[in-house]
Amino acid sequence: MRIADRVERVPPSGIRRFFELAEEKEEVISLGVGEPDFSAPWAARTAAIDSLERGRTSYTANRGMRELRTEIADHVRRYDLDYDPDEEILVTTGASEALDVAMRAFVDPGDRVAVPQPSYISYVPGVVFAGGEPLAVPTRVENDFALTYEDLTNAGAEDAELLILCYPNNPTGATMSRSELAEVAEFAVDHDLMVLSDEIYAALTYEGEHASIATLPGMRERTVVFNGFSKAYAMTGLRLGYAMGPPEAIRAMNRIHQYSMLSAPTTAQYAALEALRSCDQEVVEMRDQYDRRRRFVLSRFDEMGLDCFEARGAFYAFPRCGGDDERFAEELLRQEDVAVVPGSVFGTGGEGHLRVSYATGLDELRTAMDRIERFVDAR
């Protein structure tokens, strides 16, 4: 069989390789998984069960249940976002599907797409699968991995048609304030870039309030915002996300979505509806637990002499390990049974770092950090 060139150009996931290595060993503590260790809130699970018992197993509208879209519109007003549930919101099979559909809707063959790095590993492959050309825009630890006008200029992003953002960031845990985002907005307006803003970790912001670039002057009409239920509500397996943007953008995305996916999972939509209506307190409690773990992990890295900027969002730390990060991660796994992800798999600027997820209970985190310290001391 002949495989398409655009598929051959994309290597297997670097994260997956370390998962497979970890599976070969017993007693491994994994700090590599970007998944909450909590269960979805009980009220959301009950709503899902009830929907099944009532036989609600048919398709919904392509764009998702209107009741859910209305609830999403109400929910995002806390971030100063205002979208029409009938024309400007699309419910998808996870935020990942929303991003994939957006790439196919807005990227023509040969279009350049600016991707700040380090970044979530699916962005660059998504650009390639859509026929576009990824343009790496390195961010710097000196700026706490916030994207700047200078970074975009130095990378030649004025020649791009599209810019992808992810704040709070996976893998770094970086956030951007409204004033910092204003620089990026200025660049996008100056050079007429469309922006895809992945805000899946918005609810997991620990210092200050989450700011969306879509709220800045001149940005709503050129931005599609992505969010979902996987991270804040611990509903990764239910696969539900959503996109919000101008009517013409959502219409284009829905045209692809209705042919490729038809509609998002019905059971998950009922769970999400209840999550938005009644589970805010559970989200706060999970966020507080993550914050406690965040402060613990950052303090331990400081004690063992691994430089790590203060991550303020998501559930990742991104310490410097010095030298070859892949070798560091492989030897740590082999010698101490702790799995982390080398920063280099997340692109330019990730070299010499590790992505360490603290979506793990404190007891396991304490043991893992003890093992990492022992490994560092022995090097």
Side-chain angles (χ1 to χ4, degrees), residues 55-61 263-267 269-270:
R56 294 171 175 168
T57 55
S58 302
Y59 296 127
T60 69
S263 63
T266 301
T267 306
Q269 292 190 56
Y270 280 104

Side-chain angles (χ1 to χ4, degrees), residues 115-119 136-142 144-145 169 171-172 309 318-321 323 325 342-355:
V115 185
Q117 295 186 343
S119 67
V137 182
T139 58
R140 293 168 288 171
V141 67
E142 293 79 12
D144 288 347
F145 293 109
N169 183 264
T172 64
F309 87 103
F318 205 62
R320 290 183 189 266
C321 64
D325 52 292
S344 56
V345 309
F346 300 100
T348 306
E351 301 88 348
H353 291 78
L354 306 169
R355 190 189 78 171

Side-chain angles (χ1 to χ4, degrees), residues 1 16 23 25 27-28 30 75 79 96 109 113 122-123 191 193 195 204 221 228 289 325 340 371 379:
M1 291 187 180
R16 177 53 51 190
E23 287 172 356
K25 298 172 65 66
E27 306 301 326
V28 168
S30 177
H75 173 78
Y79 304 123
S96 294
V113 179
S122 291
Y123 297 148
H191 300 287
L193 268 68
V195 175
L204 302 182
E221 60 266 34
Q289 286 296 319
D325 52 292
V340 297
R371 292 180 184 181
R379 295 186 87 208

Side-chain angles (χ1 to χ4, degrees), residues 190-326:
D190 286 349
H191 300 287
D192 196 24
L193 268 68
M194 184 176 179
V195 175
L196 304 182
S197 185
D198 183 353
E199 301 178 19
I200 190 72
Y201 293 100
L204 302 182
T205 300
Y206 307 110
E207 298 182 19
E209 298 295 326
H210 171 70
S212 174
I213 195 168
T215 63
L216 293 169
M219 292 308 298
R220 190 186 189 283
E221 60 266 34
R222 65 176 67 247
T223 303
V224 177
V225 176
F226 303 87
N227 209 322
F229 298 86
S230 291
K231 310 302 181 180
Y233 295 96
M235 288 167 52
T236 53
L238 293 184
R239 309 310 306 131
L240 206 72
Y242 53 93
M244 303 175 291
E248 63 274 19
I250 296 303
R251 280 196 297 270
M253 292 175 62
N254 188 45
R255 190 175 304 172
I256 299 170
H257 169 76
Q258 67 187 1
Y259 286 118
S260 61
M261 194 61 64
L262 194 69
S263 63
T266 301
T267 306
Q269 292 190 56
Y270 280 104
L273 183 62
E274 186 60 33
L276 291 175
R277 285 175 170 170
S278 67
C279 298
D280 275 1
Q281 185 56 40
E282 285 89 338
V283 174
V284 170
E285 291 169 1
M286 285 189 275
R287 185 181 63 209
D288 288 347
Q289 286 296 319
Y290 289 135
D291 190 21
R292 182 183 177 194
R293 299 171 189 180
R294 175 183 71 100
R295 289 182 276 111
F296 169 73
V297 167
L298 291 176
S299 68
R300 288 299 305 271
F301 280 135
D302 183 60
E303 290 170 4
M304 67 180 76
L306 289 185
D307 185 36
C308 186
F309 87 103
E310 188 175 357
R312 295 183 174 90
F315 38 59
Y316 309 105
F318 205 62
R320 290 183 189 266
C321 64
D324 187 332
D325 52 292
E326 288 204 17

